[in-house]
């Protein structure tokens, strides 16, 4: 287990940097501590674990424990101080009172600016200690943005050396440990005599890669170049083809490394992802250990590359890897470098507007509840809903309290207006904190946001993005449209938004070969209205908006292997009625039922699902003894080939679109990919050519029995380009 010590930096700050760095990458982070100060780091990707109490702390638990959301914890500690760290707070002001004041005034700055409103002795003491509060802020803040001289690979958990460990345990007579860790039968490693020539050295394993491949390893000291013989010094030759691990993560160091224009021949992280999608991480040392590779650094990269290349060829994944995923790595690096301009002033206006709307919603909530409460506190919310208003408590949390999650509030919305208003408040508050207030902080010095595109996270092959996660901006609703309005083209340029129309349903029609479904798409008619006409046995003119809504839910639900229970929950109907609707669907589209059965059978036989382009996804759940897990595996077996094929198609479209823009000498570039949509920034006057090139590339990315259809729009901002 690696130990990190950074001279001159407190351990709390080292932990803060590690947690922030991992969370920004999209990793799930657990900080093992009972220290309340770390509540300030808790967020969607970061939680605490107190092993003394066997208790996890997420954002909701921070509210229960501290009375405020994680983003206010620093301000709370600045008021109350910290006796353990000898930081004096405001006399007589504990957590309960301080948290209530922060909730009442929303933040510390508002509280300080309104300090004259605080009456009595407490108000006087607070005003006298404002300077102390401000001085406390840096003292109680855990730093998250310090440069630390280490790489993540250095901190990876190393595999246990079983023979060596068995020898130590036997020497110390730790018989219980030998039994618990399954080391009783492990032969003890002989104690080798160290010599100056052999000490701590491991001979590199032979590798079989083309002679032109040169491994590049990024380390905390710099960049190392190596071939199959050993480390090389000097610049790369024009014929060199780079191989490395997680190369895109280091795109800002490519120029300094001297291979900005070099060809990328192989990326071992990307290969590992394609061979085993869905793993949490693909660290170099872990992958090398799994393959029994004892060499390190560049030599390990060469060995891994040789092994992975052979596996890709064996699994039939080499074409998808070399034709799509590897070229896409370079394109994504350029898109990250380009970024997209953001209008911070419009977000400021939107933030004020959202704040006013939240105030109005809160007043309405308090009226319906008959009392004021903190809507961010699950405990207070449960008291209002289940004790004061007497609404049915549907589910309990892992800690024994009553759940107030979104699914519970949705179910309760039919019986009382407050849960519905609470959902509206949560949605708006989340959009405000996650996008409206946070986006301006992510704008770089060039006025643009440079989101990070993740190529090795989603098991289906879908791309995702972080800092910010643009996939989470709502597609529908005025709030999502207003946020997209803030993404703008730079001066003299326009944005083009091109979006696939029902790509997954078209893939379903192609893969199922269902004649009626194919005919419906070829007719050009509204697929959801036509499906409704068949589900409800009515002509197209007899289809109501509610019928169409239900049919749309069924159409997309089928893709995700929806169960009668799931459909009943989405449509607010009984399970028997939902089952009849699914049965009617399969009766009218028998090819889809045949495809579902075929995909499940194939996945059970092979142990994985497969897309039209050969991308695989292991589904171990299909072999589980647990019925619920097996049913989950069956849903994955139906969904992954469809969703994964859609991922393959849009990746191919990105490469074709980029190539078309370049070959046509269009001054335009891809800047965003979100779900089934591509966004291009193009010079004014060239938007027509660029739009045609983009549409042609996307519609030509795959030849299906049903034509791919793309709608494209142009505008000065993303919303306008999206046609909203």
């Amino acid at each position: 287990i690696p130990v990190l010590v950074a001279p001159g930096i407190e351990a709390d700050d080292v932990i803060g940097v590690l947690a922030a760095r991992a969370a920004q990458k999209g990793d799930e982070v657990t900080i093992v501590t009972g220290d309340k100060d770390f509540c300030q780091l808790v967020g969607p990707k970061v939680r605490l674990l107190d092993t003394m109490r066997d208790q996890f702390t997420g954002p909701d638990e921070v509210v229960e424990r501290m009375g405020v959301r994680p983003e206010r914890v620093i301000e709370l500690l600045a008021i109350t101080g910290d006796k353990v760290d000898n930081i004096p707070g405001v006399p007589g002001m504990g957590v309960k009172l301080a948290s209530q004041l922060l909730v009442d005034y929303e933040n510390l700055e508002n509280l300080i600016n309104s300090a004259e409103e605080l009456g009595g002795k407490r108000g006087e003491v607070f005003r006298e200690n404002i300077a102390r509060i401000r001085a406390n802020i840096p003292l109680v803040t855990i730093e998250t943005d310090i440069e630390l001289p280490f790489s993540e690979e250095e901190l990876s958990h190393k595999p246990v050396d079983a023979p060596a460990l068995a020898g130590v345990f036997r020497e110390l007579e730790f018989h219980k440990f030998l039994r618990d860790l399954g080391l009783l039968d492990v032969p003890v490693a002989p104690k080798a005599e160290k010599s100056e020539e052999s000490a701590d050295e491991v001979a590199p394993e032979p590798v079989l890669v083309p002679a032109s491949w040169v491994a590049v390893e990024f380390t905390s000291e710099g960049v190392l170049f190596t071939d199959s013989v050993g480390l090389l010094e000097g610049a790369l030759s024009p014929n060199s083809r780079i191989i490395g691990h997680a190369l895109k993560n280091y795109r800002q160091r490519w120029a300094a490394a001297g291979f900005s224009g070099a060809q990328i021949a192989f990326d071992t992280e990307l290969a590992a992802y394609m061979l085993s999608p869905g793993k949490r991480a693909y660290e170099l040392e872990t992958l090398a250990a799994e393959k029994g590779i004892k060499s390190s650094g560049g030599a390990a990269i060469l060995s891994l590359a040789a092994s992975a290349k052979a596996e890709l060829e064996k699994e039939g994944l080499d074409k998808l890897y070399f034709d799509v995923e590897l070229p896409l790595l370079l394109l994504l690096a350029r898109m990250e470098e380009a970024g997209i301009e953001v209008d911070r002033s419009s977000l400021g206006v939107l933030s004020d507007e959202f704040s006013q709307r939240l105030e109005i919603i809160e007043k309405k909530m308090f009226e319906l509840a008959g009392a004021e409460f903190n809507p961010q506190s699950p405990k207070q919310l449960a008291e209002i809903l289940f004790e004061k208003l007497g609404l049915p408590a549907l589910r309990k949390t892992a800690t024994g309290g009553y759940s107030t999650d979104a699914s519970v509030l949705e179910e309760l919305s039919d019986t009382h207006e407050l849960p519905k208003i609470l959902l509206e408040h949560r949605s708006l508050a989340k959009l405000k904190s996650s996008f409206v207030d946070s986006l301006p902080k992510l704008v770089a010095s060039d006025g643009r946001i440079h989101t990070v595109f993740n190529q090795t996270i989603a098991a289906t092959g879908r791309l995702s993005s972080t800092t910010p996660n643009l996939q989470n901006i709502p597609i529908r609703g005025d709030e999502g449209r207003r946020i997209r309005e803030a993404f703008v083209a730079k001066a003299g340029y326009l944005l083009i938004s091109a979006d696939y129309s029902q790509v997954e349903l078209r893939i379903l029609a192609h893969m199922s070969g269902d004649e009626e479904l194919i005919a419906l798409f070829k007719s050009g008619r509204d697929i959801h209205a036509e499906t409704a006409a068949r589900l409800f046995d009515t002509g197209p003119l007899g289809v109501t908006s509610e019928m169409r809504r239900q049919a749309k839910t069924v159409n997309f639900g089928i893709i995700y292997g929806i169960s009668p229970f799931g459909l009943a929950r989405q449509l607010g109907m009984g399970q028997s009625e939902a089952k009849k609707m699914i049965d009617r669907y399969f009766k009218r589209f028998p090819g889809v039922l045949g495809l579902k059965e075929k995909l499940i059978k194939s996945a059970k036989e092979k142990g994985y699902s497969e897309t039209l382009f050969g991308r695989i996804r292991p589904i171990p759940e299909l072999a589980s003894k647990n019925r619920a897990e097996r049913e989950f595996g069956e849903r994955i077996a139906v969904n992954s080939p469809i969703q994964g094929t859609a991922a393959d198609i849009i990746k191919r479209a990105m490469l074709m679109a980029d190539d078309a823009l370049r070959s046509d000498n269009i001054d335009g570039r891809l800047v965003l990919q979100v779900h089934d949509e591509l966004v291009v920034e193009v010079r004014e006057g060239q938007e027509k050519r660029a739009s045609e090139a983009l549409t042609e590339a996307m519609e030509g990315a795959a030849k299906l029995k049903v034509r791919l259809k793309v709608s494209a729009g142009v505008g000065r901002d993303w919303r306008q380009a999206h046609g909203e």
Side-chain angles (χ1 to χ4, degrees):
I1 299 174
V3 176
L4 175 63
V5 178
I9 299 176
E10 289 192 33
D12 287 6
D13 295 334
V14 173
I15 294 169
V17 171
L18 289 171
R21 228 183 252 190
Q24 285 169 3
K25 277 184 58 185
D27 293 337
E28 300 286 343
V29 180
T30 300
I31 302 174
V32 183
T33 179
D35 188 346
K36 69 180 186 306
D37 293 3
F38 283 93
C39 287
Q40 64 187 266
L41 300 179
V42 171
K45 293 288 183 182
V46 181
R47 62 178 181 170
L48 312 182
L49 170 59
D50 184 345
T51 52
M52 298 296 288
R53 297 181 174 85
D54 193 23
Q55 187 177 54
F56 283 102
T57 297
D60 291 343
E61 289 75 23
V62 171
V63 175
E64 291 183 9
R65 182 178 178 182
M66 309 289 282
V68 294
R69 301 293 297 173
E71 55 267 26
R72 301 270 83 85
V73 168
I74 291 173
E75 298 173 354
L76 178 71
L77 294 173
I79 296 172
T80 61
D82 192 328
K83 290 181 180 178
V84 175
D85 292 332
N86 198 29
I87 300 173
V90 178
M93 196 162 282
V95 170
K96 188 173 181 180
L97 177 58
S99 63
Q100 189 57 56
L101 287 171
L102 287 172
V103 169
D104 290 344
Y105 288 91
E106 293 190 347
N107 57 55
L108 180 59
E109 205 56 41
N110 287 350
L111 175 58
I112 290 173
N113 292 337
S114 307
E116 294 301 324
E117 298 177 7
L118 303 179
K121 182 66 175 175
R122 282 177 177 169
E124 184 181 334
V125 172
F126 181 86
R127 289 188 289 275
E128 289 173 353
N129 284 274
I130 287 176
R132 171 179 287 179
I133 294 170
R134 292 194 185 281
N136 282 350
I137 289 177
L139 301 178
V140 299
T141 298
I142 296 174
E143 295 293 341
T144 59
D145 194 24
I146 299 173
E147 282 295 322
L148 292 181
F150 69 90
S151 66
E152 291 184 23
E153 287 79 8
E154 293 171 340
L155 301 180
S156 300
H157 182 268
K158 306 299 188 297
V160 169
D161 184 341
L165 188 61
V168 172
F169 283 173
R170 285 176 187 167
E171 184 178 342
L172 299 174
E173 298 184 0
F174 287 171
H175 304 299
K176 185 177 185 299
F177 290 169
L178 285 166
R179 285 196 305 273
D180 290 350
L181 296 178
L183 299 174
L184 285 172
D185 299 325
V186 174
V188 177
K191 292 184 178 180
E193 292 294 327
K194 285 191 177 183
S195 67
E196 290 185 9
E197 184 177 351
S198 63
D200 298 321
E201 290 184 6
V202 180
E205 298 189 355
V207 292
L208 299 172
V209 295
S212 60
W213 284 20
V214 178
V216 176
E217 181 198 2
F218 287 93
T219 70
S220 56
E221 288 78 27
V223 181
L224 301 177
F225 298 98
T226 179
D227 61 7
S228 57
V229 178
L231 293 176
L232 301 176
E233 293 185 1
L236 298 169
S237 73
N239 297 323
S240 298
R241 302 193 69 208
I242 304 301
I243 66 171
H245 188 81
L247 287 172
K248 187 172 72 65
N249 293 351
Y250 305 96
R251 61 181 171 79
Q252 292 178 334
R253 294 167 64 180
W254 286 6
F259 65 99
S260 292
Q263 286 183 299
I264 303 297
F266 207 86
D267 186 292
T268 48
E269 180 191 51
L270 196 53
Y273 162 73
M274 289 200 68
L275 291 164
S276 301
K279 291 175 68 173
R280 291 182 63 86
Y282 302 90
E283 289 92 353
L284 177 61
E285 284 82 359
T286 303
L287 294 172
E290 288 173 357
K291 297 295 180 185
I293 297 170
K294 297 183 176 64
S295 50
S296 62
I301 291 172
L302 284 161
S303 298
L304 268 179
S307 171
K309 185 172 180 290
E311 284 188 67
L312 289 169
E313 291 168 356
K314 180 183 175 184
E315 298 295 337
L317 290 166
D318 50 324
K319 183 173 176 59
L320 187 63
Y321 179 83
F322 287 107
D323 291 354
V324 177
E325 292 290 351
L326 200 60
L328 189 69
L329 182 152
L330 292 167
L331 175 55
L332 294 175
R334 292 203 307 273
M335 290 170 65
E336 291 177 1
E337 199 70 45
I340 186 169
E341 193 163 316
V342 171
D343 182 355
R344 280 183 281 197
S345 62
S346 71
L347 287 172
V349 171
L350 196 56
S351 178
D352 292 340
E353 183 184 313
F354 277 21
S355 293
Q356 292 170 14
R357 285 178 58 189
L358 285 169
E359 285 182 17
I360 294 170
I361 294 171
E362 285 177 4
K363 287 179 182 176
K364 179 69 173 176
M365 282 165 35
F366 298 156
E367 287 175 11
L368 290 168
E372 291 193 7
F373 61 95
N374 180 0
Q376 306 296 335
S377 168
K379 184 179 180 183
Q380 291 185 34
L381 192 52
E383 290 173 357
I384 292 290
L385 293 174
F386 309 128
E387 295 179 18
K388 192 172 188 302
L389 297 180
L391 298 179
L394 303 175
R395 282 185 290 282
K396 285 193 172 185
T397 65
T399 56
Y402 288 113
S403 173
T404 58
D405 66 15
S407 62
V408 169
L409 295 180
E410 284 169 6
E411 289 186 55
L412 294 175
S413 294
D414 294 332
T415 57
H416 199 281
E417 191 180 355
L418 180 58
K420 184 178 180 181
I421 301 293
L422 281 164
L423 285 170
E424 183 184 353
H425 183 276
R426 276 188 189 175
S427 175
L428 193 61
K430 185 175 181 180
L431 285 176
K432 185 177 184 295
S433 62
S434 300
F435 294 104
V436 178
D437 292 342
S438 66
L439 284 175
K441 300 172 186 175
L442 298 173
V443 176
S445 57
D446 60 359
R448 299 168 78 88
I449 276 180
H450 300 267
T451 189
V452 175
F453 293 100
N454 304 308
Q455 198 176 357
T456 61
I457 289 183
T460 58
R462 284 277 192 184
L463 294 173
S464 62
S465 63
T466 49
T467 56
N469 180 358
L470 298 176
Q471 317 285 338
N472 280 352
I473 298 177
I475 297 173
R476 296 172 189 84
D478 185 59
E479 291 85 5
R481 297 187 188 102
R482 296 287 302 281
I483 293 170
R484 283 197 292 274
E485 215 171 74
F487 290 81
V488 299
K490 65 181 180 180
Y493 286 74
L494 296 168
L495 294 182
I496 302 173
S497 166
D499 202 354
Y500 278 116
S501 172
Q502 300 157 340
V503 63
E504 291 180 346
L505 285 176
R506 292 170 188 269
I507 293 168
L508 175 68
H510 172 85
M511 293 179 69
S512 69
D514 188 276
E515 293 180 3
E516 187 160 4
L517 192 55
I518 291 172
L520 280 181
F521 274 111
K522 287 185 175 180
S523 72
R525 296 193 294 268
D526 183 337
I527 187 68
H528 301 310
E530 292 293 334
T531 301
R534 285 153 179 77
L535 288 179
F536 296 100
D537 292 320
T538 182
L541 296 177
V543 173
T544 65
S545 60
E546 177 59 20
M547 288 178 180
R548 185 185 183 280
R549 183 187 74 84
Q550 292 189 7
K552 184 176 180 179
T553 303
V554 174
N555 269 330
F556 286 108
I558 292 298
I559 293 172
Y560 289 88
I562 199 166
S563 65
F565 173 78
L567 183 62
R569 191 167 179 177
Q570 285 192 36
L571 294 180
M573 59 173 60
Q575 282 194 55
S576 59
E577 188 181 353
K579 185 179 185 304
K580 287 177 184 176
M581 188 171 286
I582 293 173
D583 291 342
R584 283 201 301 273
Y585 182 95
F586 286 136
K587 187 176 181 181
R588 297 311 299 261
F589 304 108
V592 177
L593 178 60
L595 175 66
K596 176 183 177 182
E597 293 170 345
K598 175 185 172 184
L599 291 175
I600 292 173
K601 181 183 178 184
S602 174
K604 284 181 177 177
E605 290 173 352
K606 297 178 178 178
Y608 59 82
S609 65
E610 198 168 0
T611 71
L612 288 179
F613 296 91
R615 183 184 301 277
I616 63 172
R617 177 182 182 178
I619 313 177
E621 293 87 351
L622 288 171
S624 173
K625 295 180 180 179
N626 182 287
R627 179 184 170 186
E629 282 192 14
R630 285 198 309 275
E631 289 176 348
F632 175 68
E634 289 179 359
R635 290 196 293 275
I636 294 175
V638 174
N639 169 247
S640 274
I642 299 170
Q643 195 179 134
T645 297
D648 293 338
I649 287 173
I650 199 160
K651 286 178 175 179
R652 287 163 60 90
M654 292 171 72
L655 293 169
M656 292 169 67
D658 181 62
D659 184 59
L661 292 171
R662 288 164 173 260
S663 60
D664 291 351
N665 293 318
I666 295 172
D667 184 4
R669 56 186 176 178
L670 278 167
V671 290
L672 289 182
Q673 184 277 330
V674 179
H675 300 298
D676 301 324
E677 177 184 6
L678 298 181
V679 179
V680 165
E681 187 176 54
V682 63
R683 182 177 290 280
E684 284 189 61
Q686 297 186 5
E687 63 270 17
K688 187 175 185 296
R689 285 170 56 208
S691 183
E692 289 171 353
L694 182 58
T695 301
E696 184 179 345
M698 292 177 72
E699 292 186 346
K703 302 300 179 186
L704 305 180
K705 295 169 187 173
V706 174
R707 184 177 72 88
L708 290 172
K709 186 179 178 182
V710 171
S711 57
V714 180
R716 298 203 172 275
D717 61 64
W718 188 10
R719 175 181 181 175
Q720 192 179 44
H722 204 266
E724 299 168 335

